[in-house]
């Protein structure tokens, strides 16, 4: 059978339906469906998305040839229903030609309205409607649109305005008027004449007179627009494949600009901003579609309540509102009632919030489009829960309706929308940690602490951050760095703190000495205000007001629903009691990674820590470790308390020691004084700790294996804290994790120290507690030999930050230098440090889980790299049978939703 390429709709009948969106595009499928359920839609037809692919394979002429008969037949059907004729002078049918892909791509492709007009037809239309202004206005809009879209009219210089707009401006100037609607019929005729002249001049062709020639030009232009720059960019951003193609819908024109009983508008079945179950929208009397969006005239509210709310915000009295700005509900009550009924019908039919376009032509209401409306994160949650409670969708559907990443919007402060409108963007970096922050620039962590103590709000601006900056980061409103990727120190720590952070803002030149930062010629000083949008990566000059996010009851209900369906547990990466508490409130059921090194950076601890590192021998190290022990034990007690009853996985010291020592003269002098040695000794020790490649150097369990006394001290602190709390009646569940294991023996040696130390403590305390000893799997060799390692390790935690680094051979800290180019050139689709590489790194994980469980079937497996809070990676973790994911506190709800979706999608 010959392939069907054209699907008709009209008068309550349609060849397509809603579930054919892959073939007919979202718009075409919904136009068909609306016909089937009795919503008035102007008749028309849809050319399939498959034809778009044919267009790119066999070219324009061949496609027109195979479509010709079907299109003419379908158009004839429209003529019959509309009792008019395409191209006829006395009784003309005009059509619109629109794009419509499978996924909504708002504004990305082209549309042509009023097609079918020429110099004679316009006169016929004028007589038929007895409205010459309307006829000529439609004609000039058509010539302009067709000229732009189909004939490719462009300004000669990129600085110039659109050639048609330039003509309109000059005619308006000549007449001394400001607005388009002040132009009369003669002016409009003049415009059309000059438009066509401009077309001839620029393209060397006459404007097409034949209606069919116009139609084919428009259909092909829509196919062409699938490959225009903005559509390609949008597809890239949204992950829409080029093979999907666009459909083309050709539909009889209806006119909202035929007088005061005509109108056009856009409406939503619920509030897209808040999710409130309230019909709302905007309309304009006597106007055509684009007038509503073009901002030439201010549209009015559709509902009375919407209008009243708008007036209240604008400070307009009820008296003035109802007389000057009446809602559609008041101005056109009958049409409004019909619109309201139909919007309810559409929402009930699609079981989701609808975004609809309509036109009223001389008192008759037509729907031109309906689609599931785009919405904010807050609206997404409220609408899903409301629809569930109203019995429109079931629990699983409610879960799938929510996009995990969008939950972020609910959890962090946000910019005030009005304030953002006037804000000046300085530059853009990587959106490392979401939220909005505004404050005064400081360049050093200690200054941040001082300024914050003085009740100032600060933004810490650094070339990059190191663990030494932690205290400053903790008090800052936000963090901005010139270097570093999504897993740079600043990014990881900020996400953990739920603090707004932008990293890798490469356009920024930070001068620590002068205490200035220069961005594209703008020089900012310490103390100047800047604002960061960590969700988009945008940096603004000056203060932009923020407001706290609200976590509503609907959110809590959604989270409960997640737990009902998910198999994967969600823990958190937390290093402080505060972070642990926050995560617990968000539903974390334990700590999956506590990075102990983050605890060493407060003032007294850092001195003892440095003493330990700089000590000349074991004795010196042991002495310093003795000072550190009580601090560590206190820290662990705080965390065990916050997570009472839940597992707490504490990792032994991991980073290279040189990260802790002072590199500046002042700090070195301080250490010399504290230790009673010379500065040159300290300098020499610091230099000897420097490594060419610290990420692959003296770190991880290599520290504990070369300095076993560190492992011993940390075990004493962990187990000791747990034993003391047990005495207080609490219920701690410690897990001790060895980092960066690559060889079984590395683990065994550490395990022995841990178990021996614990046994000693049990004896000292006269009581015992259960604990586990496990390891990170973050070196490819560990994954490859996972069965050997599992013979001793009681659990695995996949450190996918390092595992990604070592599998790809990309440095975590330096990826920003080439990643943008790799993404641009499509060498990489996504940043592998953000989205788990399932094929490569994922294969190692899956294999390690299998190998590990082959020798220890009950082996608990989790993930604690940054991927543990990224939805597609969480779903992968579910698929390969991990027991839990662990992520920063503010990503816990996202991971819970992704885990539930993974379970629901599996069935
Ligand atoms: C990892 O490597 O994935 C990990 C969690 O450890 P870190 O980021 O501290 O190296
Ligand atoms: Mg690691």
């Amino acid at each position: 059978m010959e392939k069907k390429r054209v699907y008709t709709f009209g008068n309550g009948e349609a060849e397509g339906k809603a579930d054919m969106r892959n073939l007919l595009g979202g718009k075409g499928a919904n136009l068909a469906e609306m016909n089937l359920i009795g919503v008035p839609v102007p008749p028309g037809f849809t050319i399939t998305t498959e034809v778009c692919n044919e267009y790119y394979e066999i070219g324009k002429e061949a496609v027109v040839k195979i479509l010709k008969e079907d299109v003419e037949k379908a158009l004839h059907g429209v003529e019959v229903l509309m009792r008019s004729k395409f191209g006829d002078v006395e009784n003309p049918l005009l059509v619109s030609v629109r794009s419509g892909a499978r996924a909504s791509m708002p504004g990305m492709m082209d549309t042509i309205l009023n097609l079918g007009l020429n110099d004679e037809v316009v006169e016929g239309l004028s007589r038929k409607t007895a409205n010459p202004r309307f006829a000529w206005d439609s004609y000039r809009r058509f010539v302009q649109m067709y000229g732009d879209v189909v004939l490719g009219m462009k300004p000669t210089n990129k600085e110039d305005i659109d050639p048609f707009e330039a003509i309109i401006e000059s005619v308006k100037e000549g007449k001394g008027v400001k607005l388009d609607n002040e132009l009369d019929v003669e002016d409009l005729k003049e415009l059309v004449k000059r438009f066509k002249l401009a077309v001839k001049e620029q393209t060397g062709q006459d404007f097409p007179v034949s209606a069919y020639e116009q139609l084919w030009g428009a259909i092909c232009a829509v196919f062409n627009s699938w490959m225009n720059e903005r559509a390609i960019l949008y597809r890239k951003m949204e992950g829409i494949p080029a093979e999907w193609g666009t459909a083309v819908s050709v539909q009889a024109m209806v006119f909202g600009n035929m007088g005061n009983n005509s109108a056009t508008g856009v409406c939503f079945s619920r509030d897209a901003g808040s999710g409130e179950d309230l019909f709302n929208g905007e309309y304009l009397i006597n106007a055509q579609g684009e007038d509503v969006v073009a901002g030439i005239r201010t549209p009015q509210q559709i509902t009375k309540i919407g209008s009243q709310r708008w007036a209240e915000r604008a400070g307009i009295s009820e008296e003035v509102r109802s007389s000057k700005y009446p809602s559609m509900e008041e101005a056109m009550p009958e049409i409004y009632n019909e619109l309201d009924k139909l919007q309810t019908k559409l929402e009930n039919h699609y079981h989701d919030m609808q975004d609809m376009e309509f036109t009223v032509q001389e008192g008759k209401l037509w729907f031109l489009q309906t689609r599931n409306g785009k919405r904010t994160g807050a609206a997404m949650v409220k609408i899903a829960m409301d629809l569930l409670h109203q019995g429109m969708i079931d629990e699983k559907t409610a879960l799938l309706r929510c996009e995990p990443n969008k939950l972020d919007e609910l959890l962090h402060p946000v910019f005030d929308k009005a304030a953002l409108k006037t804000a000046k963007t300085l530059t853009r970096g990587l959106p490392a940690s979401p939220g909005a922050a505004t404050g005064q620039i400081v360049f050093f962590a200690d200054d941040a602490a001082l300024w914050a103590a003085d009740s100032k709000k600060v933004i810490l601006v650094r070339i990059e951050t190191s663990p030494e900056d932690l205290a400053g980061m903790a008090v800052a409103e936000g963090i901005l760095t010139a270097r570093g990727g999504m897993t740079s120190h600043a990014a990881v720590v900020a996400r953990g703190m739920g603090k707004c952070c932008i990293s890798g803002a490469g356009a920024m030149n930070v001068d620590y000495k002068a205490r200035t930062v220069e961005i594209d010629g703008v020089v900012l000083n310490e103390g100047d205000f800047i604002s960061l949008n960590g969700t988009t990566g945008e940096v603004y000059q000056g203060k932009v007001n923020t407001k706290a996010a609200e976590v509503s009851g609907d959110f809590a209900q959604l989270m409960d629903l997640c737990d009902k369906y998910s198999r994967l547990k969600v823990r958190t990466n937390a290093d402080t009691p505060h972070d642990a508490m926050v995560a617990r409130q968000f539903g974390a059921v334990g700590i999956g990674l506590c990075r102990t090194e983050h605890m060493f950076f407060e003032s007294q601890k850092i001195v003892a820590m440095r003493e330990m590192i700089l000590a000349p021998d074991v004795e010196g190290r042991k002495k310093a470790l003795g000072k550190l022990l009580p601090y560590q034990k206190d820290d662990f007690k705080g965390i065990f308390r916050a997570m009472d009853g839940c597992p707490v996985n504490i990792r032994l010291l991991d980073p290279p020691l040189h990260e802790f020592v002072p590199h500046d003269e002042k700090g070195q002098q301080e250490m010399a004084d504290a230790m009673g040695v010379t500065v040159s000794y300290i300098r020499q020790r610091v230099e000897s700790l420097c490594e060419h490649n610290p990420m692959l150097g003296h770190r991880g369990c290599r520290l504990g294996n070369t300095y076993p006394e560190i492992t011993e001290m940390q075990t004493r602190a962990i187990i000791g804290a747990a034993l003391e709390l047990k005495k207080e009646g609490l219920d701690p569940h410690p897990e001790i994790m060895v980092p960066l294991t690559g060889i079984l023996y590395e683990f065994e040696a550490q395990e022995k120290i841990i178990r021996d130390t614990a046994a000693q403590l049990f004896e000292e305390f006269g009581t015992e507690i259960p604990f586990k000893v496990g390891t990170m799997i973050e070196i490819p060799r560990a994954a490859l030999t996972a069965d050997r390692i599992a013979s001793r390790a009681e659990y695995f935690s996949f450190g996918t930050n390092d595992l990604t680094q070592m599998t790809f051979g990309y440095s975590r800290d330096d990826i920003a230098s080439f990643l943008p180019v790799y993404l641009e050139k499509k060498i990489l689709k996504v940043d592998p440090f953000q989205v788990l590489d399932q094929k490569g790194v994922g294969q190692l994980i899956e294999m390690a889980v299998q190998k590990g469980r082959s020798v220890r079937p009950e082996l608990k497996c989790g993930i604690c790299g940054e991927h543990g809070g990224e939805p597609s990676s969480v779903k992968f973790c579910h698929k390969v049978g991990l027991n839990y994911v662990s992520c920063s506190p503010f990503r816990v709800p996202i991971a819970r939703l992704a885990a539930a979706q993974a379970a629901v999608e599996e069935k």
Side-chain angles (χ1 to χ4, degrees):
M1 218 176 74
E2 170 77 75
K3 178 150 83 180
K4 187 165 172 61
R5 294 185 173 84
V6 174
Y7 287 71
T8 60
F9 55 83
N11 204 26
E13 288 174 18
E15 291 179 318
K17 55 182 173 22
D19 65 7
M20 290 168 72
R21 61 186 304 133
N22 292 3
L23 191 64
L24 302 179
K27 192 177 289 158
N30 286 337
L31 284 169
E33 187 78 4
M34 282 197 282
N35 266 284
L36 298 177
I37 63 169
V39 174
V41 169
F45 57 90
T46 301
I47 303 170
T48 67
T49 53
E50 287 176 356
V51 179
C52 182
N53 288 333
E54 286 179 318
Y55 180 86
Y56 285 102
E57 274 160 32
I58 58 176
K60 183 174 168 173
E61 261 144 53
V63 157
V64 171
K65 210 164 148 197
I66 47 174
L67 278 179
K68 196 165 182 295
E69 202 180 308
D70 292 345
V71 164
E72 285 177 3
K73 199 169 138 214
L75 196 55
H76 181 64
V78 180
E79 290 174 337
V80 171
L81 288 173
M82 294 303 282
R83 294 195 192 87
S84 54
K85 202 165 166 21
F86 190 52
D88 190 72
V89 173
E90 287 314 316
N91 185 20
L93 165 71
L94 303 188
V95 297
S96 65
V97 180
R98 297 169 198 255
S99 60
R102 193 187 295 194
S104 143
M105 293 172 60
M108 294 302 128
M109 291 176 290
D110 294 325
T111 291
I112 294 127
L113 305 177
N114 308 337
L115 188 140
L117 284 167
N118 61 28
D119 289 356
E120 287 173 31
V121 175
V122 70
E123 294 294 356
L125 184 68
S126 164
R127 283 192 293 276
K128 183 183 164 190
T129 57
N131 191 342
R133 191 179 190 287
F134 152 74
W136 280 93
D137 189 41
S138 303
Y139 191 21
R140 76 95 190 156
R141 285 171 192 262
F142 167 59
V143 176
Q144 186 173 353
M145 249 185 191
Y146 197 92
D148 277 337
V149 171
V150 184
L151 306 174
M153 291 286 289
K154 298 250 151 33
T156 344
N157 298 308
K158 74 171 195 271
E159 295 80 11
D160 293 347
I161 60 166
D162 174 89
F164 297 122
E165 288 301 329
I167 295 170
I168 297 177
E169 285 311 310
S170 94
V171 169
K172 282 202 287 202
E173 216 170 279
K175 252 204 105 167
V177 298
K178 280 216 162 76
L179 300 173
D180 289 8
N181 56 10
E182 291 174 289
L183 298 172
D184 62 21
V185 175
E186 290 313 310
D187 303 324
L188 295 169
K189 285 184 180 175
E190 174 67 15
L191 282 183
V192 170
K193 200 169 100 196
R194 289 177 58 178
F195 281 179
K196 291 204 289 189
L197 219 70
V199 166
K200 176 86 184 179
E201 259 171 34
Q202 202 177 101
T203 68
Q205 288 169 25
D206 286 319
F207 192 87
V209 176
S210 144
Y212 268 104
E213 189 183 339
Q214 292 172 359
L215 180 63
W216 290 116
I219 290 172
C220 294
V222 171
F223 285 143
N224 282 336
S225 70
W226 179 248
M227 288 294 177
N228 72 29
E229 253 175 57
R230 60 179 196 276
I232 291 172
L233 187 71
Y234 187 86
R235 283 204 294 275
K236 198 168 121 189
M237 276 166 22
E238 300 286 309
I240 299 171
E243 313 80 78
W244 282 6
T246 180
V248 182
S249 290
V250 178
Q251 199 177 11
M253 280 299 300
V254 285
F255 297 96
N257 54 342
M258 284 186 73
N260 286 340
N261 58 352
S262 299
T264 188
V266 175
C267 56
F268 301 87
S269 61
R270 294 176 192 236
D271 190 310
S274 68
E276 191 183 357
D277 187 2
L278 194 68
F279 176 45
N280 66 96
E282 293 180 331
Y283 83 116
L284 268 176
I285 289 185
N286 196 13
Q288 214 169 19
E290 71 263 29
D291 297 340
V292 179
V293 271
I296 304 162
R297 289 164 59 192
T298 311
Q300 301 305 315
Q301 293 293 313
I302 287 181
T303 62
K304 186 171 169 193
I305 179 159
S307 175
Q308 285 170 332
R309 285 184 184 180
W310 165 82
E312 210 177 298
R313 278 197 303 273
I316 293 168
S317 73
E318 174 59 15
E319 213 181 331
V320 174
R321 183 204 69 78
S322 58
S323 62
K324 262 186 98 178
Y325 309 104
S327 64
M328 188 180 190
E329 188 172 355
E330 294 153 297
M332 298 179 149
E334 276 169 31
I335 304 269
Y336 169 79
N337 283 340
E338 197 189 343
L339 181 70
D340 190 17
K341 254 189 234 136
L342 288 169
Q343 67 87 14
T344 309
K345 183 174 193 161
L346 282 169
E347 186 183 274
N348 289 343
H349 183 70
Y350 285 102
H351 306 296
D352 200 357
M353 187 264 273
Q354 294 299 293
D355 163 354
M356 298 151 284
E357 282 175 25
F358 65 90
T359 285
V360 180
Q361 177 175 319
E362 298 184 305
K364 165 126 184 73
L365 173 67
W366 297 95
F367 274 71
L368 303 180
Q369 178 165 324
T370 190
R371 59 184 170 200
N372 295 337
K374 300 232 181 271
R375 61 204 77 177
T376 64
M380 170 186 82
V381 175
K382 176 156 176 54
I383 291 172
M385 296 329 275
D386 282 355
L387 290 175
L388 173 66
H389 296 141
Q390 289 161 4
M392 287 226 243
I393 55 175
D394 62 15
E395 290 180 346
K396 290 180 179 174
T397 311
L399 284 170
L400 295 175
R401 282 281 170 83
C402 295
E403 206 183 303
N405 276 330
K406 271 185 97 79
L407 289 181
D408 227 23
E409 289 172 32
L410 276 82
L411 308 174
H412 296 273
V414 287
F415 278 125
D416 186 61
K417 278 213 180 90
L420 206 57
K421 270 192 189 140
T422 52
K424 177 182 177 337
T425 309
L426 284 174
T427 185
R428 194 186 257 264
L430 294 172
S433 180
T438 199
Q440 291 175 274
I441 296 175
V442 287
F443 294 99
F444 300 96
D446 52 353
D447 291 333
L450 283 175
W451 290 42
D454 211 11
S455 301
K456 287 180 180 155
K457 294 194 181 312
V458 297
I459 303 281
L460 182 64
V461 177
R462 304 275 313 157
I463 296 173
E464 60 201 346
T465 67
S466 78
E468 277 177 83
D469 299 321
L470 209 68
M473 294 169 80
V475 296
E477 299 297 308
I479 297 133
L480 172 64
T481 70
R483 287 201 207 128
M486 296 291 285
T487 57
S488 63
H489 176 265
V492 173
V493 173
R495 276 199 293 277
M497 293 174 171
K499 192 151 291 204
C500 166
C501 172
I502 296 174
S503 63
M508 219 166 68
N509 291 308
V510 179
D511 184 338
Y512 286 141
K513 271 221 169 87
R515 300 199 173 207
T516 59
V517 51
E518 181 268 334
I519 308 170
D520 279 341
V522 179
V523 178
L524 301 172
N525 295 299
E526 186 177 65
D528 287 350
F529 274 91
I530 50 164
S531 303
L532 313 180
N533 185 343
T535 314
T536 62
E538 264 151 337
V539 182
Y540 300 99
Q541 189 166 6
K543 234 184 200 169
V544 184
N545 288 338
T546 59
K547 56 176 193 181
E550 274 170 35
V551 176
S552 68
D554 293 308
F555 174 80
Q557 283 178 27
L558 176 71
M559 289 295 108
D560 287 344
L561 204 56
C562 291
D563 295 344
K564 184 168 168 187
Y565 286 91
S566 49
R567 189 190 69 216
L568 207 55
K569 298 270 178 278
V570 179
R571 294 198 194 181
T572 190
N573 293 357
D575 317 320
T576 64
H578 173 263
D579 287 358
M581 285 306 293
V582 171
R584 223 176 159 175
Q585 276 155 15
F586 284 144
V589 294
I591 288 184
L593 173 64
C594 171
R595 291 174 164 106
T596 45
E597 53 272 19
H598 290 172
M599 299 172 160
F600 290 119
F601 277 95
E602 282 154 34
S603 52
Q604 299 126 315
K605 296 181 206 172
I606 189 68
V607 176
M609 180 69 180
R610 285 173 171 169
E611 231 179 287
M612 187 275 287
I613 299 167
L614 299 169
D617 50 30
V618 183
E619 289 319 308
R621 264 200 304 279
K622 282 195 171 159
K623 201 171 126 225
L625 283 166
K627 291 185 195 167
L628 280 172
L629 177 63
Y631 294 132
Q632 282 253 285
K633 199 157 69 178
D634 268 3
D635 286 336
F636 294 138
K637 277 168 109 172
I639 288 183
F640 285 138
R641 268 204 185 93
M643 275 287 166
D644 191 35
C646 300
V648 173
N649 184 12
I650 298 170
R651 180 176 73 183
L652 300 175
L653 194 65
D654 180 51
L657 295 179
H658 80 94
E659 279 195 11
F660 297 90
V661 293
H663 293 274
D664 59 319
E665 225 169 285
K666 189 171 150 242
Q668 291 181 354
Q669 183 64 57
E670 258 171 32
M671 281 318 295
D673 296 344
M675 293 172 68
V677 292
T678 63
V679 184
S680 78
Y681 168 80
I682 300 285
R683 198 180 309 124
Q684 202 187 336
R685 281 290 287 151
V686 170
E687 274 166 21
S688 72
L689 286 166
C690 279
E691 295 174 301
H692 284 294
N693 206 337
M695 270 289 183
L696 300 177
H698 195 188
R699 61 170 289 217
C701 65
R702 298 156 206 168
L703 294 172
N705 275 313
T706 46
Y707 299 148
E709 51 279 7
I710 299 179
T711 306
E712 191 189 321
M713 182 281 283
Q714 290 204 290
T715 307
R716 288 197 85 86
I718 298 165
I719 300 291
L723 286 165
E724 285 178 20
L725 289 182
K726 189 186 167 192
K727 282 205 164 155
E728 285 179 29
L730 278 94
D731 181 24
H733 290 264
E735 298 176 344
I736 301 179
M737 181 155 72
V738 177
L740 227 66
T741 297
I743 301 164
L744 172 63
Y745 188 72
E746 281 180 317
F747 178 80
E748 277 177 335
Q750 290 292 286
E751 189 202 0
K752 180 161 176 4
I753 300 168
I754 295 165
R755 293 207 185 276
D756 288 352
T757 310
Q760 272 172 28
L761 282 163
F762 292 162
E763 233 180 85
E764 283 169 29
F765 276 77
T767 179
E768 294 193 5
I769 42 144
F771 69 99
K772 287 197 168 72
V773 186
T775 185
M776 299 278 286
I777 302 286
E778 51 187 342
I779 286 187
R781 192 182 189 283
L784 293 164
T785 58
D787 44 353
R788 283 175 58 75
I789 292 174
S791 68
R792 302 283 336 161
E794 289 176 294
Y795 63 90
F796 284 172
S797 179
F798 291 94
T800 44
N801 300 333
D802 274 310
L803 194 57
T804 300
Q805 171 168 259
M806 285 181 250
T807 303
F808 277 89
Y810 297 160
S811 155
R812 287 162 66 168
D813 293 331
D814 301 320
I815 190 170
S817 60
F818 61 87
L819 181 67
V821 181
Y822 264 42
L823 293 175
E824 175 74 35
K825 291 193 166 175
K826 298 200 182 104
I827 296 172
L828 283 174
K829 276 201 188 128
V830 287
D831 177 351
F833 288 103
Q834 277 182 63
V835 179
L836 186 79
D837 161 51
Q838 298 185 11
K839 279 200 191 106
V841 180
Q843 195 183 134
L844 286 171
I845 294 176
E846 192 169 8
M847 183 188 69
V849 171
Q850 280 167 10
K851 280 186 171 242
R853 289 194 181 142
S854 72
V855 294
R856 191 186 285 271
E858 75 290 358
L859 183 79
K860 212 175 226 180
C861 296
I863 177 176
C864 63
E866 289 306 296
H867 308 91
E870 191 282 319
S872 70
S873 314
V874 172
K875 289 182 182 183
F876 175 82
C877 293
H878 170 95
K879 202 180 96 203
V880 299
L882 296 197
N883 301 87
Y884 68 86
V885 297
S886 187
C887 55
S888 53
F890 281 82
R891 294 200 77 83
V892 167
I894 295 169
R896 286 169 77 190
L897 178 55
Q901 289 185 343
V904 168
E905 282 162 1
E906 188 180 57
K907 281 163 199 153

